[in-house]
Amino acid sequence: MAVAAAQAPLQINGFHCAAAEPGKNSDFLFSISKFRLDLEAELPLNSFSLSRHIERSWDHWRRIGAPKFMVAPMVDQSELPFRMLCRKYGATGAYTPMLHARLFSEDRKYRNYEFTTCPEDRPLLIQFCANNPDTLLAAAKLVEPFCDYIDINLGCPQRIAKRGNYGAFLMDDLPLVQALVTKLVSNLDVPVSCKIRMFPSLDDTISYAKMLESSGCSLLAVHGRTREQKCSRTVRADWEVIRAVKQALRIPVLANGNIRWLEDAERCIQETGVDGVLSAESLLENPALFAGYRTFKPSDSEDEEQGSSKLMIDPVTLLMEYLDQCEKYPAPDKCIRAHVHRLLGEWFRVHPDLREKLNREHKVDSTWLRDLGREMLERMRPKLGEVAEEASD
């Protein structure tokens, strides 16, 4: 996709930096409880004390502003222009999309295509998937100066992660997980964070989290679902498990799951005691979520769930603002198209001809997409008028 020209990006290290209820899982090879560490012992790789590690973790967390509203890592979707749009509307931190460590370390073209950042894109967590400590370190070294944490993806439950032996499927090989963490901690200046899913057993989940903490992880994000529970629409995240992990650890902890609106984020922090929350799917439909906005829907079917917020915004406005960001920070065509579909998704179901119009176009630019947005807005106006009348009553 072509978008309006932005200032030429600067090449740094080969990438562009913008100048401005389940039962036990029989697949688990062993119980994590058999892999407990002496949490008060010093780690042999770097000989730091756990107490000093905890202190440094909190010092860093506070230094970057203790960001509590985070854009979750989303493949092809949490790219720079989307991160910047979410930051405009209240997100105080963000993850990059998951990056493949081997490809990132070996392929300059992959680096240029998959990762961009800018000075305003902070705090930033750069997430990698990997199953080789040396490869992970090589990738992390390339971006260490441009982020606040290097994050290890230990939570992806998708089939591609199983084939590649990364993400949540490293839960079957905990010595490897520890090796990945300690390799980075021993060789990087920037702190290391991890994003995990829970085990079916609470005890195993807590032991897993403690192992990561004692290995040098400085920030832990916990997705309150197991790796078998892939669908967020059918399985609610377990905040009780997240609360138990927070109580068991001494480093900052983030919660992931069930964050649909700002009220959910605030309630999750209150009920679990976590230091912040991540949102993924809900942000794709409403990047203004953390500012307390709701988007206009073609149907009132969900209104009863949406609380008492009076701040409303139409998705076309968000689309136009996303395209503004894309003109400043060019993004891959696949990312832009995906965001158009997610931002206008519910309205596309009411007006499928506009969706088909988009799908038929093999190459579209910002002007074409803005025209599509204006056409959708004209069709939305009757509904927007109804909502305005109800608000004035």
Side-chain angles (χ1 to χ4, degrees):
M1 174 184 300
V3 294
Q7 184 174 352
L10 177 66
Q11 285 279 63
I12 301 177
N13 284 338
F15 64 85
H16 291 307
C17 180
E21 304 63 275
K24 274 286 184 182
N25 184 348
S26 60
D27 290 338
F28 292 155
L29 301 183
F30 55 86
S31 171
I32 189 172
S33 61
K34 296 178 182 178
F35 194 67
R36 298 175 188 268
L37 299 177
D38 179 359
L39 300 182
E40 297 304 324
E42 291 187 347
L43 293 174
L45 276 175
N46 42 34
S47 299
F48 69 88
S49 70
L50 183 61
S51 296
R52 180 61 178 140
H53 165 54
I54 301 301
E55 180 182 347
R56 288 176 176 174
S57 297
W58 281 105
D59 285 347
H60 181 75
W61 177 250
R62 297 185 184 105
R63 191 179 308 119
I64 66 171
K68 67 177 183 177
F69 296 142
M70 307 286 284
V71 181
M74 295 173 279
V75 174
D76 295 337
Q77 304 252 260
S78 57
E79 83 293 351
L80 177 59
F82 186 74
R83 296 195 300 268
M84 297 306 291
L85 177 61
C86 293
R87 290 180 192 277
K88 176 181 177 180
Y89 284 103
T92 51
Y95 290 72
T96 67
M98 181 191 74
L99 302 169
H100 192 290
R102 181 183 61 78
L103 293 175
F104 197 88
S105 63
E106 296 176 356
D107 189 338
R108 180 183 296 266
K109 183 177 179 180
Y110 178 86
R111 292 197 294 271
N112 290 344
Y113 189 73
E114 296 293 341
F115 175 61
T116 55
T117 188
C118 66
E120 296 79 18
D121 187 28
R122 305 293 284 268
L124 179 67
L125 293 81
I126 299 179
Q127 186 183 81
F128 289 103
C129 67
N131 56 27
N132 181 288
D134 291 329
T135 301
L136 177 59
L137 178 62
K141 280 289 189 181
L142 292 171
V143 295
E144 180 181 14
F146 310 108
C147 66
D148 300 282
Y149 293 90
I150 296 293
D151 186 76
I152 306 175
N153 183 329
L154 300 173
C156 180
Q158 302 304 323
R159 187 176 305 170
I160 191 173
K162 184 174 184 177
R163 290 199 303 267
N165 189 35
Y166 60 79
F169 296 92
L170 294 183
M171 295 165 79
D172 294 339
D173 191 349
L174 300 183
L176 175 56
V177 171
Q178 186 187 40
L180 292 170
V181 176
T182 56
K183 186 71 170 184
L184 294 189
V185 171
S186 302
N187 292 280
L188 296 178
D189 293 325
V190 69
V192 176
S193 60
C194 297
K195 187 172 185 295
I196 66 171
R197 284 186 172 243
M198 65 186 198
F199 278 84
S201 160
L202 176 59
D203 288 342
D204 286 352
T205 302
I206 291 175
S207 294
Y208 186 29
K210 285 184 174 181
M211 180 270 283
L212 293 169
E213 178 182 68
S214 65
S215 298
C217 175
S218 294
L219 173 68
L220 185 67
V222 184
H223 191 139
R225 298 180 178 89
T226 68
R227 74 183 184 195
E228 286 72 35
Q229 297 170 332
K230 298 181 179 69
C231 183
S232 62
R233 297 187 183 277
T234 59
V235 180
R236 298 281 292 168
D238 193 333
W239 285 0
E240 287 300 311
V241 170
I242 296 173
R243 183 169 68 89
V245 171
K246 171 59 183 173
Q247 291 176 343
L249 296 195
R250 295 163 60 190
I251 59 173
V253 174
L254 306 176
N256 188 193
N258 304 348
I259 307 300
R260 302 165 297 173
W261 305 298
L262 178 60
E263 293 90 339
D264 291 331
E266 294 170 339
R267 184 166 59 88
C268 180
I269 291 171
Q270 180 179 12
E271 292 184 9
T272 64
V274 294
D275 305 287
V277 298
L278 284 68
S279 183
E281 295 291 321
S282 297
L283 273 179
L284 293 177
E285 298 174 3
N286 176 15
L289 181 157
F290 286 133
Y293 284 91
R294 307 297 171 82
T295 54
F296 289 101
K297 307 286 187 181
S299 168
D300 297 329
S301 60
E302 296 183 3
D303 284 355
E304 61 185 10
E305 293 187 75
Q306 294 186 7
S308 58
S309 174
K310 299 298 184 183
L311 295 173
M312 301 294 294
I313 192 168
D314 69 84
V316 173
T317 293
L318 293 172
L319 172 61
M320 298 299 189
E321 293 187 359
Y322 172 68
L323 294 175
D324 290 342
Q325 296 292 340
C326 290
E327 291 176 0
K328 189 174 183 180
Y329 309 110
D333 177 271
K334 61 181 179 179
C335 297
I336 298 176
R337 281 184 179 269
H339 283 299
V340 175
H341 280 285
R342 292 306 297 263
L343 288 169
L344 301 183
E346 294 198 33
W347 291 94
F348 275 150
R349 284 193 283 274
V350 179
H351 305 288
D353 60 307
L354 294 186
R355 180 180 57 215
E356 292 306 313
K357 182 178 180 179
L358 172 61
N359 291 340
R360 284 194 304 268
E361 290 293 319
H362 295 295
K363 190 171 185 178
V364 295
D365 60 14
S366 180
T367 300
W368 193 96
L369 290 172
R370 290 178 188 278
D371 287 342
L372 179 73
R374 283 188 281 268
E375 187 173 356
M376 178 66 83
L377 184 60
E378 285 303 311
R379 299 193 189 188
M380 291 169 57
R381 289 197 187 281
K383 178 64 178 179
L384 302 187
E386 291 176 14
V387 173
E389 285 184 15
E390 291 173 2
S392 63
D393 289 343

